[in-house]
Amino acid sequence: MLFVRSWLTPRQLRRLLSCWSCNAASQEVICSQCGKIQPPQQEVNYFKVLHQEEKFTLRAQDLQKRFRDMQRVLHPDKFANCSEKEKNFSADQSALVNQAYQVLLKPIQRATYLLQLKGISLAEVQLSQEFLLEMMEFNEEIDRADDSKREELLGQIAEFEELAMAELQEHFANKKLSEASESLAKLKYFENLRNRLS
Amino acid sequence: MLSRVISKSLNSLKSPFGGQTACYHEKVIDHYENPRNVGSLDKTSNKVGTGLVGAPACGDVMRLQVKVDDQGKIVEAKFKTFGCASAIASSSLATEWIKGKTVDEALRLKNTDIAKELCLPPVKLHCSMLAEDAVRAALADYRIKQKPEAASDKP
């Protein structure tokens, strides 16, 4: 380990591996030895931040509970009487937990993040000409639609979304990541359509 | 309706960080608010080439069409883009540039030229690439239609 990290200064190394306050080896948010809050690690994984398994299907209740439990401990309000250093760490940790929660909570963002962790970018998805034509025509229909037609189109989009979301879930469950990225790209289009109508 | 769409989209230009507006260049805003050459051409015509491309990461879709005369000159160019301001501006600018050019000249259009002219930030470079792809797709479609077998199908 020392050899591998030899380009780091001893101080940086210590910061990476141990508690800044008591020097105990600690990778936790709160040091298990002295109970001091730690700065966020350099490379974060939102699933790890919120102690979730790295997969698409999450239990929203578990996620929410974990988020609230963590914020109860990490929130800057809890560090009002602490040193500046601890206040800063608390602000960083709390912001990170917030960010992780926002991404993992929403299925589209969670799926995008999960694929990103696997090195898959949505930009590489090849959508068929048929699908693009359908999206172009749907957008043009929105341009022409009156209020009642808009309601009808919203209903259609909800159906598209439901179908694509079920597909996405299935592809992730079967570890078919390139198919998952295609379903996700479609969901992005549907989301844009819905945003134009609502 | 249009103003609603625009004001909504302008709101979305705001950066999620600290509520500052993203640094869109005034040229992007200009093309976005007054897009040139919006519309469509008859895609069944032999003189019209149509390119339809998408940016799956953003959910954008762009259609760009060219009408070419017998001398191989692009006499009309139209586009319709549903996407962000940069994508709209890129396609609007692309139609302006290729109008009056020959097919060969138009094929030399580079996304980097579009990005430079519109001062696109790195995260928006893909919008200019989308516009280049759309131009190439439209010109390729036109050329396919010009092949003898295609021409005999539809005089």
Side-chain angles (χ1 to χ4, degrees):
Chain A
M1 192 67 172
L2 263 173
F3 177 74
V4 177
R5 304 264 187 200
S6 59
W7 66 87
L8 295 172
T9 65
R11 200 173 156 196
Q12 285 172 316
L13 187 66
R14 234 183 359 260
R15 228 195 96 178
L16 265 179
L17 300 175
S18 55
C19 170
W20 60 271
S21 177
C22 73
N23 276 331
S26 173
Q27 299 285 323
E28 299 297 316
V29 172
I30 303 286
C31 175
S32 52
Q33 290 293 311
C34 68
K36 293 276 189 198
I37 189 163
Q38 305 296 308
Q41 292 184 13
Q42 297 294 308
E43 278 177 38
V44 294
N45 174 317
Y46 291 159
F47 288 94
K48 286 191 182 135
V49 167
L50 289 167
H51 299 253
Q52 300 291 315
E53 220 182 304
E54 200 177 296
K55 60 186 177 64
F56 179 65
T57 313
L58 294 181
R59 284 177 51 124
Q61 274 176 325
D62 286 352
L63 187 70
Q64 193 183 44
K65 186 176 182 307
R66 177 65 75 167
F67 169 71
R68 288 187 178 156
D69 288 350
M70 291 189 79
Q71 286 298 34
R72 211 167 285 139
V73 176
L74 298 175
H75 198 275
D77 287 354
K78 305 278 175 191
F79 293 82
N81 299 323
C82 295
S83 67
E84 276 307 303
K85 192 170 193 167
E86 287 163 278
K87 276 182 196 161
N88 286 338
F89 289 165
S90 139
D92 291 348
Q93 290 282 15
S94 174
L96 176 63
V97 165
N98 229 337
Q99 210 176 351
Y101 181 64
Q102 292 308 324
V103 168
L104 296 193
L105 185 64
K106 294 168 202 135
I108 290 187
Q109 289 202 42
R110 180 166 70 239
T112 309
Y113 181 67
L114 197 51
L115 288 171
Q116 193 187 316
L117 287 179
K118 312 270 182 204
I120 295 173
S121 155
L122 270 192
E124 282 143 41
V125 173
Q126 289 291 327
L127 290 164
S128 68
Q129 283 286 305
E130 289 75 31
F131 180 78
L132 290 175
L133 193 61
E134 221 177 298
M135 290 303 101
M136 184 52 89
E137 283 170 355
F138 208 111
N139 268 301
E140 288 177 322
E141 215 167 328
I142 291 175
D143 283 347
R144 292 188 298 265
D146 58 19
D147 284 352
S148 74
K149 183 73 184 172
R150 290 168 77 88
E151 279 300 314
E152 188 193 319
L153 294 176
L154 268 173
Q156 277 182 35
I157 293 166
E159 277 173 37
F160 292 163
E161 284 180 317
E162 204 176 315
L163 209 68
M165 190 56 83
E167 267 177 30
L168 181 68
Q169 219 157 346
E170 204 184 314
H171 293 322
F172 269 124
N174 296 328
K175 308 230 182 321
K176 290 186 171 171
L177 297 183
S178 92
E179 285 87 345
S181 61
E182 198 179 317
S183 302
L184 178 59
K186 289 183 177 175
L187 279 166
K188 290 246 174 184
Y189 278 88
F190 302 151
E191 189 183 37
N192 284 358
L193 291 176
R194 190 157 40 78
N195 286 341
R196 288 197 60 210
L197 284 165
S198 45
Chain B
M1 165 70 198
L2 184 64
S3 66
R4 205 170 95 201
V5 170
I6 288 175
S7 71
K8 228 174 173 178
S9 309
L10 280 176
N11 281 335
S12 69
L13 296 183
K14 293 210 174 103
S15 150
F17 309 106
Q20 287 174 316
T21 45
C23 300
Y24 269 106
H25 196 270
E26 59 184 87
K27 284 177 186 164
V28 173
I29 307 283
D30 176 36
H31 274 280
Y32 180 68
E33 287 178 343
N34 311 294
R36 279 61 134 181
N37 307 312
V38 173
S40 60
L41 301 167
D42 175 15
K43 69 174 176 187
T44 61
S45 163
N46 257 341
K47 298 189 181 309
V48 172
T50 302
L52 181 64
V53 293
C58 326
D60 289 358
V61 57
M62 181 183 288
R63 181 186 61 214
L64 194 145
Q65 294 179 298
V66 291
K67 187 176 186 183
V68 184
D69 70 8
D70 294 335
Q71 279 72 48
K73 199 167 157 189
I74 298 168
V75 287
E76 263 189 279
K78 295 273 184 203
F79 85 95
K80 186 91 207 198
T81 296
F82 295 97
C84 69
S86 302
I88 291 170
S90 294
S91 39
S92 171
L93 179 66
T95 55
E96 255 191 340
W97 274 356
I98 60 175
K99 237 169 135 175
K101 297 222 165 69
T102 66
V103 171
D104 285 327
E105 283 167 346
L107 275 170
R108 270 181 246 136
L109 175 75
K110 288 273 175 297
N111 72 73
T112 44
D113 299 329
I114 296 173
K116 204 171 154 192
E117 170 70 16
L118 296 174
C119 305
L120 294 181
V123 292
K124 289 291 176 184
L125 288 183
H126 67 275
C127 298
S128 60
M129 291 178 205
L130 194 63
E132 184 192 308
D133 287 348
V135 170
R136 286 176 182 276
L139 296 172
D141 182 53
Y142 166 74
R143 287 204 156 151
I144 287 170
K145 283 181 174 176
Q146 294 310 300
K147 284 192 181 154
E149 58 268 42
S152 63
D153 280 349
K154 228 172 215 152

